[in-house]
Amino acid sequence: MYFPSWLSQLYKGLSRPIRRTTQPIWCSLYRRLVQSSQRRNPEFNSFAVRTNTCGELRSSHLGQEVTLCGWIQYRRQNTFLVLRDFHGLVQVVIPQDESAASVKKILCEAPVESVVRVSGTVISRPAGQENPKMPTGEIEIKVKTAELLNACKKLPFEIKDFMKKTEALRLQYRYLDLRSFQMQYNLRLRSQMVMKMREYLCNLHGFVDIETPTLFKRTPGGAKEFLVPSREPGKFYSLPQSPQQFKQLLMVGGLDRYFQVARCYRDEGSRPDRQPEFTQIDIEMSFVDQTGIQSLIEGLLQYSWPNDKDPVVVPFPTVTFTEALATYGTDKPDTRFGMKIIDISDVFGNTEIGFLQDALSKPHGTVKAICIPEGAKYLKRKDIESIRKFAADHFNQEILPVFLNANRNWNSPVANFIMESQRLELIRLMDTQEEDVVLLTAGEHNKACSLLGKLRLECADLLETRGMVLRDPTLFSFLWVVDFPLFLPKEENPRELESAHHPFTAPHPSDIHLLYTEPKKARSQHYDLVLNGNEIGGGSIRIHNAELQRYILATLLKEDVKMLSHLLQALDYGAPPHGGIALGLDRLICLVTGSPSIRDVIAFPKSFRGHDLMSNAPDSIPPEELKPYHIRVSWPTDSKAERAH
Amino acid sequence: MYFPSWLSQLYKGLSRPIRRTTQPIWCSLYRRLVQSSQRRNPEFNSFAVRTNTCGELRSSHLGQEVTLCGWIQYRRQNTFLVLRDFHGLVQVVIPQDESAASVKKILCEAPVESVVRVSGTVISRPAGQENPKMPTGEIEIKVKTAELLNACKKLPFEIKDFMKKTEALRLQYRYLDLRSFQMQYNLRLRSQMVMKMREYLCNLHGFVDIETPTLFKRTPGGAKEFLVPSREPGKFYSLPQSPQQFKQLLMVGGLDRYFQVARCYRDEGSRPDRQPEFTQIDIEMSFVDQTGIQSLIEGLLQYSWPNDKDPVVVPFPTVTFTEALATYGTDKPDTRFGMKIIDISDVFGNTEIGFLQDALSKPHGTVKAICIPEGAKYLKRKDIESIRKFAADHFNQEILPVFLNANRNWNSPVANFIMESQRLELIRLMDTQEEDVVLLTAGEHNKACSLLGKLRLECADLLETRGMVLRDPTLFSFLWVVDFPLFLPKEENPRELESAHHPFTAPHPSDIHLLYTEPKKARSQHYDLVLNGNEIGGGSIRIHNAELQRYILATLLKEDVKMLSHLLQALDYGAPPHGGIALGLDRLICLVTGSPSIRDVIAFPKSFRGHDLMSNAPDSIPPEELKPYHIRVSWPTDSKAERAH
């Protein structure tokens, strides 16, 4: 009862990531978080007008005179008060004797969420009144003096209902939302983890933390870059999407090992779960190869990983882009579970089933399948229907469900055409069990894999909503994906090439000759780091040869080389071989804390439409303030009409 | 001879800050820098394709097989090569025997500043050929294999002359400038010092590193804020000058102790030694008073101070704004030397000197003086003339130079009207010595102090150019300035008030009543931190009471309260008492490294006109890229004409 529902909600939230402990305790969790990065606990009361935090008091403090500052969380019948700070809750006994009337008045009249300072003695709770669920549950504070530091006005909603409110309301009153234990935990974990990353990079491995400018020049093809008008007519800065050029120039400048927790900008308009500004752990080093960067990052994550999670096991497994596509149908596979894509073309060499025959007769034609464990038990007929519909609608592909238990092959008459020998071979190849379902499709390799990759994830979600435990929630499954193609055909004009990642990516050493013959086939030295099916980082060995860089930019990509002349010139003046990586910090912390959205690990995020719902940014600007920047608003015609009304 | 002139130049530069050592050695200096922040040295060779850095090799490495990567610094008669990396220089012996012809060819043909990798054995230099000035001067490398990693094109200038070139050229080829030991030292010291600040705040005192948005809403009176057009017609983000609002909202959100190494933006057009983007160490905490913040910052600087400088002594002295003005004529006194302003009004109670009489007869009229030590020896007649001219031109004030040695009172006939008793009283009050000069002025208190404050600094510079050692170059003299006025009269309309710092500054507790009677007289809880005459930080206890904040904003400052409604609302919902500070990191590092400009402690600074001279930002943007942002360029009429030509 000392924990209003929204708090216990949060405790539950906190418990999730802690190795299935059944009695998660905020305080011990927090202490573990704190201890991990240094020898002793930080001093939370230094420089402050309190002696202790509310949450730290224990039986060991009995008899101590303490001064606490905190928010009134809860009051019961004018006898008890629960005081809260970032560290936790503590029970305060409201004095009832006449001589303490003024103290009683303050503590009884202050509205909930008001800020008070109390001084008093730590005493034992009366026998039987201890609260084992509360970390401070053995003690309470016998108050001598109290001071109302700030009264809280009536809140726009009951704070205990707050977490149930819409996200828009949480963002509008972000300063109230931040008081929740979950937000406190997320932001503190983020701070701790970044601090440990810095220790690893700076103190252990000699990396130099260097700040690079954010007011820069637009990059070729730099759509999605925010513009910043300057006071020179027609001249604009751009907010870069990453410090890519600067970090390479630092290597040319002999800085050798650079890192930065870098603010980056990307204007993608409205996209869910993206932010117009975001943070990446940006790293570059000289005289390194791909395996060097991989070891560096494995060590970094291992060192900075929160102590309340299972330790990170290194090295991380590596798959090539081609393998990832063939096995998981995606370049960011969720490797927490199996259900891999299996090529079963050989089984159906002489099939009578029409669409399989068709597919196999074409170039790159294959038959592929995934096995849904216990699918016969967990999936319903309508699930299979919607899977088939999805395949038809989005991939123009047929899906054939195959049940081992033959009499359950609903809606799949063709399945009867599968011969017994084929069934046995299927069972052997796919290692299927009695209650499994095999989803089979046929067609061009990449397309078939992509479809099955999508279905694999859909089915996993479906099985879990039906109660199967497919992915261990405490598991963090890292994976390197390597050997990406260097170029992709341009979407608008597939005969032209564009960089698969960015034009500074070095080609795979074995494929350099292909640049001059079949550039489309050249692989790159790009690598992605994937965690639980999310891309959390990517990087590459860069081109350090000016001639090669010019050839790729001008001849292959047909970019305007002038805009990058400073970089090309730098490569000419003794650029060392170098490579690097960037980790998406928001996404990483989101996964580590098990948060539903990256907005839950950012103190003041924008809404998906790019608005700050608290302050109402972006905002109108009076025309006279635009003048120094030599710009005018071009009102769209229809909104001009609107404004006229 | 192994050190080309630009390097020895740099060594000299490095030596300056090291407590007057006469044999500064880059390596030991660097090691001290590195050691200071952790138990063991960082591993500079992890993950890299080298075994050692060039600069680390010593006699203790004799016989070891090493692989080094670096730049060719220098080559002598095709027999020796000096290889450089960030750590230092090492001598490589070019093999002369036939069997090593290919290695010889590589090492002899590669132009200076090319990047090579060599493998070989660490051997002793032949007796008599050791170079005691070179940290690696006892050894050299007997090469077995060599690889040209990247050839350097002919540089646009001799690299040894580079440091003599204009700053514009250094900024254009910043990647070459960064190879200098001075820039390497500055950026590495900056990284180390910030890392130690983080350790202090995060690990020792429980501060949480929280990133706040830079795409925000304009603030009231927020001129000097860069604008960022959004995709909504007429709506703009602003790049904030500091995270002020966010850090206060974090306190309302119960985050308790926040810090951030925050990127800030200020569009001041062209101003020398300012940058459009800059960095501050931004700190805020709850339940703290002014002395708490002061102790925190003293501890922070003490902890993070580089080991190669004299340790910081705490606590720092404190003066009030009023005292600072009266004693030094400025709110950022350089306290490395005396020459304080002395009020000598009493000496001249019954003077016959006209302008003194005049001044003393007016309200706030005073006679003030400073004493120039050994001025009679170091200052020339024309110096005194230009001092008097400066006073007349810029302050409309007279300056009376008084020499103890009476026959040297050039150009100061009125000095003869100073009576002997007055002279003796002057000598006593000002503690003057035989060769000193007293500069005396009379007028309104503030104006007289400001003038003498300026002359105090001018004369100090003058004395130093003439050879006097007035300010110890190894001295770092910190000072708190407190009790600033809360408001100042607006320049355009002196009957209206504006905040002396910002509108969130809390009034001095003793002066709250003045807000309602004589607000102009109210002092604030603002504090500035001054180092060697430079303001390097400032902060305040903030207003946490919504009503008081509303009164100050709306009634006293006549600001549009609507634009801050989110902040006022936040104060209403249980805002704790809080305060904070921000340190200007660029300026601080500039002073610590003794650099002539903040551009020397920033990797990629803008020119004073806000240009990136390397990439040529800001740049023109094609009109179609402006469309999504609903803006058009308004070409100024004359430049329109220009473009038509």
Side-chain angles (χ1 to χ4, degrees), chain B residues 5-36:
Chain B
S5 66
W6 69 277
L7 270 187
S8 53
Q9 194 94 9
L10 286 171
Y11 274 96
K12 230 185 285 167
L14 276 172
S15 79
R16 211 182 333 121
I18 329 173
R19 308 186 206 172
R20 304 181 188 104
T21 37
T22 48
Q23 260 214 346
I25 301 201
W26 161 259
C27 256
S28 71
L29 187 157
Y30 185 67
R31 178 151 319 131
R32 262 192 282 167
L33 190 67
V34 159
Q35 273 175 338
S36 58

Side-chain angles (χ1 to χ4, degrees), chain A residues 46 150 179 190 205 211 214-215 232 236-237 257 265 267 277 279 544 573 575 606 610-611 619 629, chain B residues 46 150 179 190 205 211 214-215 232 236-237 257 265 267 277 279 544 573 575 606 610-611 619 629:
Chain A
S46 48
N150 211 355
R179 292 183 190 166
R190 179 178 178 134
H205 293 288
E211 300 170 65
T214 56
L215 294 174
E232 282 174 73
F236 295 79
Y237 298 105
R257 297 172 166 229
Y265 299 86
D267 180 17
E277 50 187 319
T279 304
H544 65 274
Y573 292 142
K606 303 278 191 298
H611 288 191
D619 202 2
Y629 298 108
Chain B
S46 47
N150 211 355
R179 292 184 191 165
R190 180 178 177 134
H205 293 289
E211 299 170 67
T214 55
L215 294 174
E232 282 172 73
F236 294 79
Y237 298 104
R257 297 171 167 230
Y265 300 85
D267 180 17
E277 50 186 319
T279 304
H544 65 274
Y573 291 143
K606 302 279 190 298
H611 288 190
D619 201 3
Y629 299 108

